[in-house]
Amino acid sequence: VMSQDPDNLYYAATHEWARLEADGSVTVGITEHAQQALGDVMYVELPLVGAVVLAAGFTGIVESVKAASDIYAPIAGMVLAVNDALADTPEQINEDPYGAGWFYRLKPEEPSQLNALLNAEGYASAVAAEPQ
């Protein structure tokens, strides 16, 4: 299966992606694989703007018809913005996980933490190694 995961993103083994933006902020969402595994997303609980999060720290919950899954921060930082549109249209997470379905944006504490994450190829390998 060809990976649909964009090459310009960083990936956590917990199925979040991180994108470094031109202004130095980092946008976070969940991967195509994660949204497929969850099925139709009904609700998402996001962190508060101004919250300080740790790398791999809990930042919310995404609930689908099948399961509830915790969302973790790929890197440490402060929450600059959250995607309020997901309250009304959580299906954007399924339809466009790397675009309109983003979760929140961080001001990274240490941008080099991104280098500890997986690239698209590494993430695809991690997914392939998961028990089915």
Side-chain angles (χ1 to χ4, degrees), residues 26-27 44 70 72 81 91 98 100 107 119 123-125:
V26 172
T27 303
V44 61
D70 290 349
Y72 301 100
E91 64 273 11
Y98 298 115
K107 177 182 182 183
N119 63 13
Y123 178 69
S125 300

Side-chain angles (χ1 to χ4, degrees), residues 12-82:
T14 46
H15 309 295
E16 295 82 17
W17 55 263
R19 181 175 61 229
L20 184 60
E21 306 294 357
D23 65 0
S25 67
V26 172
T27 303
V28 177
I30 60 168
T31 65
E32 173 72 22
H33 171 78
Q35 71 80 16
Q36 279 183 348
L38 279 165
D40 290 343
V41 174
M42 312 300 288
Y43 172 76
V44 61
E45 184 180 304
L46 297 170
L48 297 173
V49 171
V52 174
V53 301
L54 300 172
F58 175 80
T59 52
I61 299 171
V62 56
E63 289 182 20
S64 74
V65 287
K66 291 196 281 198
S69 185
D70 290 349
I71 305 159
Y72 301 100
I75 63 169
M78 190 186 81
V79 179
L80 293 172
V82 299

